[in-house]
Amino acid sequence: MPSLNPSQREAVRYLDGPLLVLAGAGSGKTRVITEKIAYLIGECGLRPGNVAAITFTNKAAREMEERVGKLLGGRPEGLTVSTFHALGARILREEAGAFGYKPRFSIFDATDCLGILADLSGSVDKATIRRLQTLISHWKNARLSPDRARKEAANELEKLAAATYASYAATLKAYQAVDFDDLIALPVELFEAHPDLLGKWQNRLRYLLVDEYQDTNACQYEMLRLLSGPRAAFTAVGDDDQAIYAWRGADIENLRRLPRDYPHLKVVKLEQNYRSTVTILKAANALIAHNQKLFDKKLWSELGQGEPIRVSACRDDEKEAEQVVMKLQAHRFERRAKFSDYAILYRGNFQARALEQRLRDERVPYVLSGGQSFFDKTEIKDVTAYLRLLANEDDDPAFIRAVTTPRRGVGGATLEALGKYAGERHLSLFSAAGEEGIGQRAQPRQLAPLMEFRRFIADFQRRAARDPAGPVIEDLLTAIGYEAWLYGEEERRVAQARWEAVRELADWLTRKGEEEKKTLLELAQTIALINLLDKREDGSRPDAVQLSTLHAAKGLEFRHVFLIGVEEGVLPHRESQDAAGVEEERRLMYVGITRAQRSLHVSYAEKRRRGRELIPCEPSRFIAEMGEDLRFSGGKADAVSDKAAGAARLNALRAMLDRKAE
C-alpha cells in the first residue's frame, strides 16, 4: 500500500461503515478496489468466500481478478468477482426451487425474447416490437409490476407493452427461462419474499465492493441494499460526472439516495488524475462545472501542461473526415507514434461511415467498436441452441433451432402439430414429443425423426453431464454434421469463415472445461453470460486507430484523441434538449475529453449531410464551456489554405521518411 496516495489509502482502509468513493476519471479506482479486496483478505482476516466485488462487464471482472491474484500470490479460492448478472444467475440457480424454476433454467438473449414478444403482441413491425422490448426492460429495471405498468401507460404503445408484459413473464416461466433483466429482478423478489434466504446470502457475502456505482439502476440498487443488510458493509465506487447511461435504465438518483439511506455514509474523493495533462483536465473541469453537482470534485494532475487543445471548424462532415485523418497521420509521423495510440470518438454510429471511407482510402488500419457480438453470429447461435437444449430441455426456441439447423427430417407440419399439442397440454415441445398423445396428431413416418431427435438429445445430455467438455462438443459437431451442412449451404469462402468461428467456440469450450474442471453441461448453463469479445487475455490491441462511440469508449484511454462532430443537435443530441438531457450529454462530452492522455483535437462541421441535404450546423455550446485555453483553426475563411498547408506538411513528412528509408 505504500504507493497509494493518501485518499486512495483512506478508501482502502476504511471499514467502519458504508463508504462511497467518488473516483474521478483516471484516478485509479480499479486499483483501490483490488487493493481493498487484498486488504480485507490478507490483513483483516475475511475469508475470500465472504467478499464480493461486482462490476458491469466480464472484462472489468477479469482484470480485477488478475490484479487481486498478483497482490495475494494467487487467486483466492471462493472469492466472488463478477458482473451483476452473473451474481444474479448464481443466486437464482442455487435458489431456483424457491421461485418455481429448475436449476438448469435457460437465459434467453434479446433475439429469443423478441420472437416471444412478436407472438404475444400480434405485431409484425420489428421497430414496434423492439420498442415494446425496451419498455418492458425499463419497467423491470425500475421495479414496475405488470399491473402498475398497465395503470401508468400513457399512450397506445405503452398500453400494448403493458398488456404484453404479464403474458411475456408467464411465457418465460413456462419455458423455464429468464431474460437478462430477470437476473437482477428475480433475486430481489426472492429476497423480499424469503427473509431466510436473504439472511443466508447476507451471511455469505459479508463485504461488498461495487464498481461503476453511478451506472446502477433501481433494481440493482435494491439488490445491493438487501445483500448489504443492516451491517451496510460495502464500498461503492463511482463518479457522478460519468453517469451517461440513463437511456438504458441507469439512475443517477442512486447516488443521491446513498446519503439519505445511509446517514453515516463516509465519502472519500479521488481527485488526482494519473492519465491526462493539466491542459486536458482544466478543460474537463471547466466543462463539467456547468452541471449541477451532487458532490464537489476537481481533478488535478502532475503530468505537466502538455499540448494545447485544438478545435477545428470544417466545411462539412466529409471535409471533417478528410481533415481528421490528415491531421492524425501528420501527428503520428511527427511523434513516431503507433496507430493504436489514436482514437476517433463520436456521438453516434452514423458518423463512422465517412471516417471509415477516408481511412481505407489512406490505407490507415482501424478497428470499429460495437461490432457484431461473437454470440450473435448465426453459426454460433446454431451450435449454442444444442447446448441450451442440453442444459434445459424446456427451452422451446432452442428446440426449434436445433431440430431445424441442420434439418433432422422434422418438417414444418410436424412442428406445427407438436406446437399445437404442447400448447393444449401446457408442456414444452421436448416434453410433448415424449407423450403418447402426440401419436394421434401426426403420422408415424412424421414422428419417427422427432422421436430420434429426442433420443439423440437425451443421449448427449447424459454424456454432457459426466464426460469432459472437449470430447463431447467434438462428438456433437460430428453427429449433427454441421461442417458438411455449412459447405452445402454456403459458397466455400463464407462456409470456411463460419466453420472457423464454430471451431473457435469448440476450442474455447474445451480449454475452459479443462481449466475450470467443468462438464459441457455446466458450461452450457452459463454460456449466455460469457462474452467472447473479451477473450484477449493479454489485453492487447492490434496496431490500429480505434473508432468508437463515446458511450463505448467509457473506461478506455488513448494517448491522442480526436473528438468529432461536436455540434448542436449532435452533441448535445437534438432529442436531449431538456435540462436533464443536456446535463447527461455534457457528461458524455466530459467522458470524451478525459479519455485523452497527451493530446486532444476537437472538430465540428459547419454543414452536415442529412439524406440528400446539407444542413447548416452550429458549434456545440460545450466547446465554449471548455474555457478559453483552446487553439481554433479552420472555418470558411481559411478552409482552402488550411487544407493546402496540411497536405504540404504531410507530403514533406512522407518525403523525409522516404529519404531516411533509403
Side-chain angles (χ1 to χ4, degrees):
M1 234 183 283
S3 59
L4 297 178
N5 68 40
S7 296
Q8 290 173 330
R9 196 175 299 113
E10 183 183 15
V12 169
R13 289 184 177 274
Y14 185 80
L15 296 173
D16 293 336
L19 171 66
L20 172 62
V21 179
L22 286 171
S27 64
K29 69 179 178 66
T30 303
R31 188 168 180 210
V32 165
I33 294 171
T34 53
E35 289 275 4
K36 187 152 192 172
I37 295 170
Y39 179 65
L40 288 165
I41 296 168
E43 296 195 34
C44 300
L46 261 72
R47 291 186 9 245
N50 293 144
V51 179
I54 309 167
T55 187
F56 280 85
T57 67
N58 293 316
K59 184 178 178 184
R62 188 169 59 247
E63 183 185 345
M64 280 186 199
E65 269 192 309
E66 288 170 357
R67 288 203 197 182
V68 171
K70 286 175 183 174
L71 289 170
L72 292 174
R75 187 188 185 281
E77 190 69 34
L79 173 67
T80 296
V81 182
S82 75
T83 63
F84 275 96
H85 293 94
L87 177 61
R90 177 181 155 199
I91 293 168
L92 292 180
R93 291 212 187 277
E94 191 167 322
E95 313 297 351
F99 63 104
Y101 274 70
K102 298 181 301 186
R104 280 159 48 182
F105 60 78
S106 293
I107 301 169
F108 280 6
D109 66 14
T111 307
D112 294 326
C113 298
L114 214 60
I116 293 169
L117 287 169
D119 291 340
L120 293 174
S121 66
S123 176
V124 294
D125 180 52
K126 288 185 178 178
T128 298
I129 298 163
R130 278 194 292 271
R131 285 198 289 272
L132 296 181
Q133 188 174 39
T134 300
L135 276 169
I136 291 172
S137 174
H138 278 311
W139 287 334
K140 284 189 179 187
N141 289 331
R143 306 203 63 215
L144 257 68
S145 66
D147 283 344
R148 191 170 155 201
R150 194 179 292 111
K151 288 173 187 170
E152 295 186 9
N155 54 48
E156 289 306 312
L157 183 70
E158 289 185 5
K159 287 175 185 174
L160 177 60
T164 309
Y165 186 3
S167 304
Y168 171 68
T171 302
L172 285 178
K173 188 155 190 179
Y175 286 166
Q176 284 286 298
V178 299
D179 62 20
F180 265 44
D181 298 318
D182 288 332
L183 294 175
I184 311 297
L186 289 178
V188 169
E189 290 177 20
L190 186 74
F191 289 151
E192 289 177 337
H194 298 275
D196 55 325
L197 294 180
L198 174 59
K200 167 186 162 183
W201 282 90
Q202 285 175 342
N203 194 49
R204 183 182 297 182
L205 305 178
R206 301 187 68 81
Y207 201 94
L208 301 174
L209 300 102
V210 187
D211 190 19
E212 302 289 6
Y213 177 78
Q214 77 282 349
D215 294 336
T216 55
N217 59 42
C219 213
Q220 286 159 339
Y221 181 89
E222 201 58 30
M223 183 178 177
L224 295 168
R225 191 185 67 79
L226 288 166
L227 280 173
S228 60
R231 286 180 293 107
F234 68 79
T235 294
V237 182
D239 182 6
D240 51 331
D241 292 334
Q242 295 187 74
I244 58 172
Y245 292 116
W247 54 276
R248 70 179 189 197
D251 191 354
I252 198 170
E253 182 63 26
N254 289 348
L255 274 167
R256 292 190 183 95
R257 283 182 65 180
L258 269 183
R260 293 201 302 263
D261 290 354
Y262 300 96
H264 302 299
L265 180 76
K266 169 84 168 174
V267 178
V268 173
K269 300 175 187 177
L270 305 184
E271 296 173 294
Q272 182 173 0
N273 175 286
Y274 294 93
R275 175 188 299 160
S276 306
T277 63
V278 171
T279 300
I280 291 168
L281 292 183
K282 185 178 174 185
N285 287 331
L287 171 80
I288 207 65
H290 289 79
N291 272 6
Q292 286 189 343
K293 304 289 284 181
L294 294 179
F295 304 93
D296 271 338
K297 183 172 81 291
K298 196 166 187 178
L299 297 181
W300 59 276
S301 169
E302 294 179 340
L303 297 177
Q305 287 296 318
E307 299 180 31
I309 296 172
R310 303 187 183 278
V311 181
S312 303
C314 309
R315 194 178 70 201
D316 55 40
D317 45 342
E318 297 285 340
K319 290 295 179 186
E320 181 181 40
E322 178 185 309
Q323 189 178 108
V324 163
V325 174
M326 188 185 299
K327 287 185 175 181
L328 186 153
Q329 287 178 290
H331 195 273
R332 176 177 165 270
F333 278 129
E334 286 175 355
R335 287 156 183 78
R336 305 288 192 272
K338 296 182 292 186
F339 286 115
S340 56
D341 289 335
Y342 292 84
I344 306 175
L345 308 180
Y346 37 82
R347 176 63 177 82
N349 279 311
F350 71 92
Q351 293 166 271
R353 183 195 59 80
L355 282 168
E356 286 193 83
Q357 186 175 340
R358 180 59 57 180
L359 289 164
R360 283 196 299 267
D361 289 347
E362 295 292 328
R363 294 186 173 84
V364 174
Y366 68 91
V367 290
L368 189 68
S369 71
Q372 186 187 37
S373 163
F374 185 84
F375 277 106
D376 283 339
K377 292 182 177 181
T378 302
E379 59 274 16
I380 301 304
K381 290 173 85 74
D382 289 344
V383 175
T384 54
Y386 278 89
L387 301 183
R388 286 167 49 187
L389 196 55
L390 294 181
N392 175 16
E393 59 197 34
D394 295 330
D395 188 335
D396 281 1
F399 180 96
I400 292 167
R401 190 165 194 136
V403 81
T404 57
T405 317
R407 282 210 170 269
R408 303 187 62 85
V410 180
T414 308
L415 283 174
E416 188 177 344
L418 179 65
K420 192 171 182 184
Y421 178 76
E424 291 169 5
R425 299 274 293 140
H426 304 289
L427 297 169
S428 68
L429 296 175
F430 189 91
S431 297
E435 290 210 336
E436 286 187 19
I438 189 62
Q440 310 300 315
R441 305 296 181 95
Q443 299 298 317
R445 61 181 175 78
Q446 291 177 298
L447 292 177
L450 193 61
M451 297 302 105
E452 174 55 34
F453 178 70
R454 203 172 181 280
R455 284 192 293 272
F456 174 83
I457 293 298
D459 287 345
F460 267 96
Q461 269 182 328
R462 284 190 288 273
R463 285 195 58 194
R466 66 170 192 259
D467 296 347
V472 181
I473 188 65
E474 294 297 342
D475 289 350
L476 178 66
L477 291 173
T478 301
I480 66 176
Y482 194 78
E483 182 180 13
W485 178 80
L486 267 182
Y487 278 91
E489 291 286 310
E490 305 280 4
E491 64 102 358
R492 184 172 182 79
R493 185 178 55 80
V494 175
Q496 185 176 352
R498 291 180 63 184
W499 178 245
E500 283 174 1
V502 172
R503 287 300 331 151
E504 184 179 352
L505 174 68
D507 294 344
W508 181 82
L509 286 168
T510 301
R511 190 171 66 252
K512 197 84 170 167
E514 290 170 354
E515 289 172 356
E516 299 185 5
K517 302 291 188 291
K518 285 186 176 178
T519 64
L520 186 62
L521 196 63
E522 289 170 322
L523 292 173
Q525 287 168 13
T526 58
I527 203 164
L529 293 172
I530 299 164
N531 186 351
L532 280 185
L533 291 178
D534 292 339
K535 65 185 178 296
R536 285 178 180 268
E537 292 180 5
D538 59 357
S540 64
R541 289 202 305 258
D543 186 23
V545 176
Q546 177 80 47
L547 268 59
S548 175
T549 63
L550 288 164
H551 284 102
K554 185 168 174 289
L556 303 178
E557 57 185 46
F558 307 90
R559 290 187 72 80
H560 311 290
V561 168
F562 286 80
L563 182 49
I564 71 166
V566 188
E567 302 142 24
E568 290 293 315
V570 178
L571 184 65
H573 195 273
R574 62 180 178 275
E575 292 179 8
S576 302
Q577 293 302 314
D578 63 330
V582 169
E583 288 208 344
E584 175 142 341
E585 293 289 298
R586 188 176 284 114
R587 292 193 291 268
L588 195 56
M589 178 77 173
Y590 176 85
V591 165
I593 293 170
T594 55
R595 297 314 91 196
Q597 296 173 319
R598 296 293 173 267
S599 75
L600 175 66
H601 300 72
V602 177
S603 62
Y604 65 92
E606 293 174 329
K607 291 185 178 179
R608 184 166 293 278
R609 191 169 296 281
R610 285 196 197 142
R612 296 184 178 181
E613 286 187 272
L614 274 174
I615 308 296
C617 302
E618 293 294 325
S620 170
R621 69 195 79 177
F622 298 155
I623 295 175
E625 291 174 0
M626 289 167 66
E628 298 177 359
D629 195 15
L630 307 175
R631 301 283 177 86
F632 289 85
S633 66
K636 296 181 181 70
D638 56 357
V640 176
S641 61
D642 187 58
K643 180 183 173 184
R649 187 174 171 213
L650 189 55
N651 289 333
L653 283 164
R654 282 176 172 157
M656 179 183 73
L657 289 173
D658 288 342
R659 284 197 300 275
K660 286 193 173 185
E662 291 169 4

